[in-house]
Amino acid sequence: MTQPSPYAPPGSPPRAEFLDRIVQEVHRRVVGQDYMVERLLIGLLTGGHVLCEGLPGLAKTLAVRTLADTVDASFQRIQFTPDLLPADVVGTTIYNQRTGEFVPHRGPIFAHIVLADEVNRAPAKVQAALLEAMQEKQVTIGGETYDLPKPFLVLATQNPLEQVGTYALPEAQVDRFMLKVRVGYPTREEEREIMRRMSTGSDIPVQPVATPADILSAREAISGLYLDDRIADYILDLVAATREPKRFGAAELEPLIEYGASPRATLALAACSRAHAYLRGRSYVVPEDVKAIAPDVLRHRVITTYEAEAEEVSADDVVRRVLRAVRVP
């Protein structure tokens, strides 16, 4: 007989059948990349923006566009380039000769799901305009503020290899992304299936199987998932260990960390852990949920020192050591 979880409250687990249909439709086009697809779903279910980083040709853009196609909602793709202007993203005011007034012309940011493709190619002014939309869920056009549609989600991609013509994202903007996902190569069998499936050259259709109301309803259910006090303490300890590793028996990390994660990381880790549990049909969070999602929440919020760079220690390495140092409840 299965023992009840010590972290579980009484009650039945949540149900979200439409999520299975979304995953099924996405995999009609996208072969493999289960990790990335699940993280995109977590972003959709929590309202947290997602930054996908990986080499060209790994289906980042295809996965985002396909996910948007499975939701019966508005979608816009913005191709970021060095000559892009803020008005190209948020919109501008246009003079109406008939009325003699300036009227707002809304930009592509006014969509439920926005794909910011190669986001690190845009200059600082565009990044600032995108930052307001991501954080405040609103934009300013001609001195007037306009709310963005609900749900609103930015799914961004960037290429870590090519640096020519790119602009490093400001730390403040990177911190607005709830998740930063590393996208890797497919397996040999997955690549064989990609070659077979894409050899025809024809587009593979997918059907919308969810609505914005479904997404908002799921978000409400996720926010109510049970989070035991021991799990909450574990999340707090993980974030605190990125600031004061010595207190958790990892003094060797102190010279490697310039800045630890902010309280925004604590909130993101709790929300994403709930979504991770929800995707597995549980109504409560267990430590494995926190450990599974922690690298994606923390890797872009831990700033390493020059010493770490000299020793070729990355933020991912630091997060792995933090996870080993903090005691699991």
Side-chain angles (χ1 to χ4, degrees):
M1 182 177 178
T2 303
Q3 294 294 323
S5 170
Y7 308 104
S12 59
R15 297 180 63 83
E17 292 86 353
F18 75 90
L19 295 174
D20 295 330
R21 296 196 297 270
I22 287 179
V23 173
Q24 184 178 1
E25 287 296 313
V26 168
H27 282 308
R28 288 170 59 88
R29 282 186 189 160
V30 180
V31 178
Q33 297 295 6
D34 296 336
Y35 187 90
M36 174 177 60
V37 171
E38 183 178 70
R39 268 45 184 179
L40 291 174
L41 265 180
I42 288 175
L44 188 65
L45 292 172
T46 57
H49 312 295
V50 182
L51 176 61
C52 295
E53 183 179 88
L55 298 174
L58 296 180
K60 301 184 299 297
T61 301
L62 179 65
V64 172
R65 181 167 58 86
T66 303
L67 177 64
D69 288 345
T70 66
V71 181
D72 189 13
S74 56
F75 169 72
Q76 289 286 350
R77 171 180 175 174
I78 307 173
Q79 186 65 49
F80 280 56
T81 57
D83 60 348
L84 199 69
L85 297 174
D88 297 327
V89 176
V90 302
T92 187
T93 55
I94 299 176
Y95 182 70
N96 188 325
Q97 291 183 340
R98 292 181 181 177
T99 63
E101 297 177 342
F102 285 93
V103 295
H105 174 73
R106 300 189 178 193
I109 198 70
F110 285 89
H112 290 107
I113 300 176
V114 176
L115 167 58
D117 212 6
E118 297 188 281
V119 67
N120 57 330
R121 289 193 175 276
K125 285 186 177 181
V126 177
Q127 302 295 353
L130 185 63
L131 181 62
E132 180 190 8
M134 292 172 61
Q135 180 62 26
E136 306 297 335
K137 308 295 175 68
Q138 64 182 30
V139 297
T140 303
I141 304 174
E144 294 290 330
T145 300
Y146 300 89
D147 292 331
L148 294 170
K150 295 180 181 181
F152 172 73
L153 185 67
V154 173
L155 303 176
T157 69
Q158 72 174 13
N159 173 9
L161 184 64
E162 189 176 3
Q163 300 301 321
V164 178
T166 63
Y167 301 81
L169 296 180
E171 284 78 3
Q173 181 171 356
V174 174
D175 195 42
R176 262 61 174 192
F177 285 101
M178 181 174 280
L179 300 172
K180 181 178 180 181
V181 182
R182 304 277 193 195
V183 183
Y185 289 113
T187 65
R188 181 180 180 86
E189 288 307 311
E190 288 171 347
E191 198 159 0
R192 183 188 299 275
E193 176 61 19
I194 292 170
M195 185 170 58
R196 184 197 66 79
R197 194 178 298 185
M198 300 301 178
S199 61
T200 62
S202 57
D203 186 42
I204 301 174
V206 298
Q207 300 296 322
V209 293
T211 65
D214 292 329
I215 303 301
L216 294 175
S217 177
R219 287 183 183 180
E220 185 176 351
I222 288 170
S223 66
L225 256 63
Y226 181 72
L227 187 73
D228 191 87
D229 287 342
R230 289 167 292 177
I231 302 295
D233 288 336
Y234 182 47
I235 291 172
L236 290 168
D237 287 344
L238 284 175
V239 177
T242 67
R243 307 168 192 161
E244 303 173 88
K246 186 176 181 180
R247 187 155 66 89
F248 296 88
E252 73 280 1
L253 291 179
E254 285 207 340
L256 304 178
I257 300 175
E258 184 75 27
Y259 299 106
S262 70
R264 188 177 281 121
T266 307
L267 299 175
L269 197 50
C272 291
S273 297
R274 282 189 168 102
H276 192 270
Y278 185 80
L279 288 173
R280 279 149 184 77
R282 277 186 274 105
S283 58
Y284 56 92
V285 179
V286 297
E288 285 69 26
D289 295 316
V290 181
K291 292 167 66 176
I293 205 68
D296 303 298
V297 171
L298 296 176
R299 65 164 51 97
H300 55 299
R301 294 183 164 100
V302 173
I303 310 301
T304 55
T305 62
Y306 287 113
E307 182 175 340
E309 185 176 349
E311 296 181 12
E312 297 184 344
V313 176
S314 66
D316 280 303
D317 296 327
V318 171
V319 172
R320 279 192 289 269
R321 296 189 195 181
V322 164
L323 286 168
R324 288 198 298 266
V326 176
R327 186 182 66 83
V328 179

